[in-house]
Amino acid sequence: MKYILNKFLANRDALAVATFVAGLPFIYFLRDGVKLAPANTFFAIFLLFFPFALSLIFKDLKTFDAPNKVGFTLLSWFIIIGFTYYLLRDRYTAVNGVREFLNFILIFLIYFGSIFIKRESLNKNFIYFIIFLSVLGAVSLIYFTFTNPLYQFGQRASIALDEDGATGGNPHINSRGAFYGLIASVLALKYNKQIKLGFIIPLLAILLFIVVLFLTQTMLAFLAAFIFLALFLFFNFNLRKVGSTIKFLFFKWYVLLALVLGITKGVSSLDKDTDFITPITNYMGYRLTSIMESFDSSDGKKKSKKVSGDDSANTRIMLISTVFERFAENIEEGKVRYAVFGNGYQSLYVDVPQMEVLDSYGILIFIFYSVMFFHLVKIAWKEIKNPDSMGTEFIAYAFIYYFVANFTAGVVVDYTRLGMYILLVRFVRK
């Protein structure tokens, strides 16, 4: 018992960060898949943040590693600004005050909890935890999907929410978990001398996460995964290294055996049931074509709901147009206050965080946020080019997801988004 306690205390920081980053898909499976606490938000929050609370136990709170000073300062000010706007919202709004207050509590918990987590905690055990939790999330999704009698091939896979009127779940939770698992598995291959998992386990995990990405069919995760793999290959391989890596991998008998068996099984399965892959390829082709149609406006007019193309892309285009229209109207009508300081906290659900800042916070905070976000991108870019450790390299690559999401999906004040920003400025000192 003492040994287990000592091991937990030694790894509690790594477990806390890993659970926050990669634990949500499995937590949702426990909540709504296994139905331990159906539709209970507090159950999910407790499991996700309890390790963060435990990480503060028996810890010397007088000493901590210095964060990225510029990034940490800018982000701290933005969190304060966001909380101030939440408190001072002065118009009728559909914002749920209690839910948003809980959102800020979680953000502050990550903020203060991460301050006292040492950078060395993101060691090899951290990568183990990420892979383990990501695999649990991926396997649970596949299990839930193929034991669900209502699921049909080609449908976007997710853990169905156990709520009144709910017809499905949020596939982005699982695709994001698969993306993080993909990063950790690729880094496990890169740092194979430190990560004692061999080659088979990371390779199988990579295949598993790719399957989940295709099952969830979320363009955000696909774009993030593509950017990650492109950057990883660019900064870690040249032609000579590619050749030596291929030779090293494929001259291992067990790798060749697993590859042959996998290809044989895959070809056999597709030959027996072509309906398995056809809906997915059709859907991907449809999404790419319709998104391009959404942006193709030969007459130069704003898209409407009746215009052909991708519905979500059309909606975002209309909402972005609405943001600029509201900004222009505020200036024309002499409402300088709203142009400069914004229309109020989440006044409009834009689903594009960068544009939400302009609408909700005004032009001044929009400029401030843009500068801050550019600095975060610069921090991640420098770490990717010249990583200090596998843990900080993981954080930098994981940020790619929210780099893409900043221009495509979500709200700006969200504990998962700002939590990743916090981890970046806390652990990456570039």
Side-chain angles (χ1 to χ4, degrees):
M1 186 66 182
K2 184 177 180 181
Y3 173 80
I4 296 176
L5 179 61
N6 289 334
K7 279 294 183 181
F8 169 76
L9 292 176
N11 295 285
R12 65 190 185 279
D13 290 345
L15 179 61
V17 178
T19 302
F20 169 73
V21 171
L24 200 56
F26 186 62
I27 290 173
Y28 267 76
F29 173 72
L30 293 177
R31 194 191 79 167
D32 296 308
V34 180
K35 301 187 186 301
L36 290 181
N40 190 319
T41 301
F42 292 100
F43 173 83
I45 289 174
F46 174 78
L47 290 185
L48 190 65
F49 287 92
F50 184 61
F52 249 107
L54 287 181
S55 69
L56 296 174
I57 297 177
F58 305 125
K59 184 174 291 186
D60 182 7
L61 302 182
K62 296 179 181 179
T63 59
F64 57 91
D65 297 333
N68 183 290
K69 293 182 180 179
V70 176
F72 200 78
T73 301
L74 291 174
L75 183 56
S76 299
W77 274 111
F78 181 73
I79 293 174
I80 293 172
I81 290 169
F83 189 60
T84 302
Y85 269 70
Y86 160 75
L87 294 176
L88 297 178
R89 61 193 193 283
D90 59 351
R91 297 180 164 192
Y92 170 79
T93 174
V95 172
N96 185 315
V98 175
R99 184 183 61 193
E100 286 301 309
F101 185 69
L102 177 60
N103 187 35
F104 276 105
I105 289 177
L106 299 178
I107 291 170
F108 288 129
L109 177 59
I110 302 168
Y111 181 91
F112 290 108
S114 63
I115 287 177
F116 300 102
I117 295 178
K118 290 185 177 295
R119 191 171 289 101
E120 63 188 27
S121 298
L122 303 187
N123 52 20
K124 62 181 181 181
N125 290 332
F126 170 71
I127 297 296
Y128 289 148
F129 291 144
I130 291 287
I131 294 175
F132 177 70
L133 291 171
S134 298
V135 167
L136 281 181
V139 171
S140 65
L141 175 69
I142 292 174
Y143 170 79
F144 179 87
T145 298
F146 291 101
T147 56
N148 182 4
L150 300 178
Y151 179 78
Q152 296 179 349
F153 287 124
Q155 179 182 344
R156 300 175 78 180
S158 62
I159 304 295
L161 300 176
D162 195 353
E163 298 176 349
D164 292 337
T167 58
N170 186 346
H172 290 279
I173 292 173
N174 296 97
S175 62
R176 185 174 61 216
F179 172 67
Y180 292 148
L182 177 66
I183 297 173
S185 299
V186 170
L187 292 182
L189 291 176
K190 176 181 177 179
Y191 295 96
N192 64 85
K193 293 182 179 179
Q194 300 177 47
I195 303 296
K196 304 301 181 181
L197 288 176
F199 292 98
I200 290 296
I201 293 178
L203 285 173
L204 292 177
I206 289 172
L207 292 176
L208 175 65
F209 298 134
I210 291 174
V211 168
V212 171
L213 289 177
F214 275 97
L215 284 175
T216 53
Q217 302 174 36
T218 59
M219 295 302 294
L220 170 55
F222 273 118
L223 285 172
F226 174 79
I227 294 173
F228 157 63
L229 292 174
L231 289 176
F232 182 83
L233 291 174
F234 180 79
F235 285 115
N236 291 276
F237 287 91
N238 51 40
L239 290 177
R240 179 179 296 179
K241 196 167 184 178
V242 169
S244 62
T245 301
I246 294 175
K247 180 179 178 181
F248 179 77
L249 283 176
F250 292 99
F251 275 74
K252 299 284 186 179
W253 68 269
Y254 48 85
V255 174
L256 288 174
L257 178 63
L259 185 64
V260 170
L261 291 176
I263 292 176
T264 303
K265 178 61 178 177
V267 171
S268 175
S269 299
L270 291 177
D271 185 58
K272 292 179 180 178
D273 190 4
T274 55
D275 291 338
F276 175 79
I277 195 69
T278 300
I280 297 176
T281 55
N282 288 345
Y283 174 82
M284 293 300 297
Y286 162 74
R287 286 297 302 271
L288 290 173
T289 302
S290 55
I291 286 174
M292 294 306 297
E293 289 177 354
S294 297
F295 284 95
D296 181 19
S297 180
S298 58
D299 57 2
K301 296 180 180 179
K302 184 177 66 175
K303 289 287 181 182
S304 67
K305 292 182 179 179
K306 295 181 180 179
V307 176
S308 63
D310 183 79
D311 290 338
S312 62
N314 280 336
T315 301
R316 287 187 179 90
I317 292 172
M318 287 189 293
L319 288 170
I320 291 172
S321 299
T322 302
V323 169
F324 287 117
E325 288 173 0
R326 281 155 59 104
F327 183 80
E329 288 174 0
N330 286 333
I331 294 178
E332 291 171 0
E333 296 175 6
K335 299 177 181 178
V336 180
R337 168 196 169 190
Y338 295 118
V340 176
F341 298 105
N343 295 295
Y345 186 80
Q346 293 187 10
S347 174
L348 176 69
Y349 181 70
V350 186
D351 206 20
V352 179
Q354 186 73 36
M355 290 295 101
E356 179 199 338
V357 175
L358 177 61
D359 184 75
S360 296
Y361 301 91
I363 189 65
L364 290 180
I365 307 304
F366 174 78
I367 294 172
F368 175 83
Y369 177 82
S370 299
V371 171
M372 181 199 77
F373 190 77
F374 173 78
H375 187 73
L376 297 182
V377 172
K378 185 173 72 171
I379 293 171
W381 178 262
K382 288 184 177 181
E383 179 64 21
I384 289 171
K385 287 177 61 178
N386 184 27
D388 288 334
S389 68
M390 71 180 82
T392 53
E393 186 175 6
F394 172 87
I395 296 295
Y397 278 124
F399 174 75
I400 292 174
Y401 184 90
Y402 287 104
F403 168 78
V404 178
N406 186 60
F407 306 100
T408 58
V411 294
V412 69
V413 177
D414 175 73
Y415 67 84
T416 57
R417 180 186 306 276
L418 293 186
M420 183 55 67
Y421 291 4
I422 291 169
L423 294 180
L424 180 68
V425 300
R426 173 66 190 89
F427 295 111
V428 181
R429 288 187 296 185
K430 291 292 192 298

